[in-house]
Amino acid sequence: MIPISDNIRCRNKPIINYWLIGINIAVFLWELQLEFSGGLGDFVNNWGVIPAQITGAITNALFYNNAAWIIVIWRTFSLVFAIFLHGSFSQILGNLLFLWVFGKSVENILGHRRYLGLYLAAGAIASCVQILAEPSFTVPQIGGNGAISSVLGAYIMKFPKAKIDTILPLIILYIPIELPAFFYLFWWFVQQLFYGIGSLNIPPIGVNQSGVVFWGQVVALLSGAALMRLKR
């Protein structure tokens, strides 16, 4: 089921949403170039969120070496930068499709700055949940899933009765249907199971293998809903 638009009219152009989509596409094209040149593994392992490296850097900075704070700052920046990295074609297509449909209406309500703040903060919060839950995990975690979850949470809180124009592909037929916004609260988490399709070759052990990634997205979704509740 492919969402294509909603029935909510926006008064202002969702400039930040357009920029976020454009940046995600540009970074993914950069990843493809790095994959062809053989540098994608090093790049993702340097800038993806690796819980073991972050917790190790914090421990070293607190108890052993003050200079390690430089690494902590670098790794903290990765909490934001990793939001714009994606590990597969299905992951970026799914994320950007949801961002396109739901993001514009949320930005219209929150305004440009608060919308950008929600997107970046929620993505970082989702990563922090993974770090706290699995502090010794060594596989990079990347993608804007947490950020998109917050946008979806905010949307459902503000527009619970919105109707989403949807295309249902059946082999060679595409049937247009209309579904309630609440349905996509469920479908968002279901489609995470298919994000391994079209995976990029990211040595040495790939990305996004955490068993608690679901909970990070739940926290991000609740953050978006809470912000929209406060806005009301």
Side-chain angles (χ1 to χ4, degrees):
M1 285 160 286
I2 305 172
I4 55 175
S5 65
D6 63 5
N7 63 347
I8 306 299
R9 290 192 174 185
C10 296
R11 298 185 303 272
N12 304 310
K13 286 187 177 181
I15 298 173
I16 298 300
N17 209 49
Y18 292 155
W19 271 101
L20 290 174
I21 291 172
I23 292 172
N24 275 284
I25 293 174
V27 172
F28 190 72
L29 292 175
W30 187 14
E31 288 184 71
L32 293 179
Q33 189 276 327
L34 290 173
E35 183 182 24
F36 291 135
S37 64
L40 183 58
D42 290 338
F43 178 74
V44 170
N45 280 275
N46 283 330
W47 293 106
V49 175
I50 303 178
Q53 292 187 358
I54 293 177
T55 55
I58 293 175
T59 300
N60 287 334
L62 288 174
F63 300 106
Y64 302 109
N65 186 355
N66 289 332
W69 284 112
I70 297 175
I71 300 177
V72 173
I73 294 172
W74 168 30
R75 284 299 174 183
T76 300
F77 180 73
S78 73
L79 295 176
V80 174
F81 190 82
I83 298 172
F84 298 95
L85 300 175
H86 290 84
S88 69
F89 284 93
S90 56
Q91 185 185 25
I92 188 171
L93 287 174
N95 282 355
L96 295 191
L97 189 59
F98 268 71
L99 188 60
W100 171 263
V101 174
F102 299 102
K104 56 181 173 48
S105 300
V106 175
E107 180 179 352
N108 189 64
I109 296 298
L110 293 180
H112 304 314
R113 287 182 293 181
R114 277 187 291 189
Y115 177 68
L116 178 61
L118 170 65
Y119 187 91
L120 298 179
I125 288 171
S127 295
C128 288
V129 171
Q130 293 176 259
I131 294 170
L132 292 173
E134 297 180 313
S136 60
F137 200 64
T138 58
V139 179
Q141 305 298 298
I142 61 176
N145 303 44
I148 308 298
S149 293
S150 71
V151 173
L152 183 58
Y155 186 96
I156 297 298
M157 176 59 69
K158 182 63 179 179
F159 308 108
K161 297 181 180 180
K163 299 297 183 181
I164 309 300
D165 293 326
T166 304
I167 293 178
L168 177 62
L170 296 175
I171 307 178
I172 60 174
L173 297 176
Y174 289 85
I175 302 176
I177 59 177
E178 193 176 73
L179 294 173
F182 259 112
F183 170 81
Y184 280 98
L185 186 62
F186 161 78
W187 184 244
W188 166 252
F189 290 99
V190 171
Q191 76 170 18
Q192 311 295 311
L193 301 174
F194 304 99
Y195 276 177
I197 299 174
S199 295
L200 303 182
N201 180 25
I202 305 177
I205 51 178
V207 295
N208 297 340
Q209 299 174 22
S210 172
V212 299
V213 63
F214 169 84
W215 296 111
Q217 293 186 41
V218 169
V219 172
L221 186 146
L222 294 176
S223 299
L227 178 61
M228 189 60 78
R229 179 71 177 178
L230 292 174
K231 177 66 169 61
R232 294 171 60 186

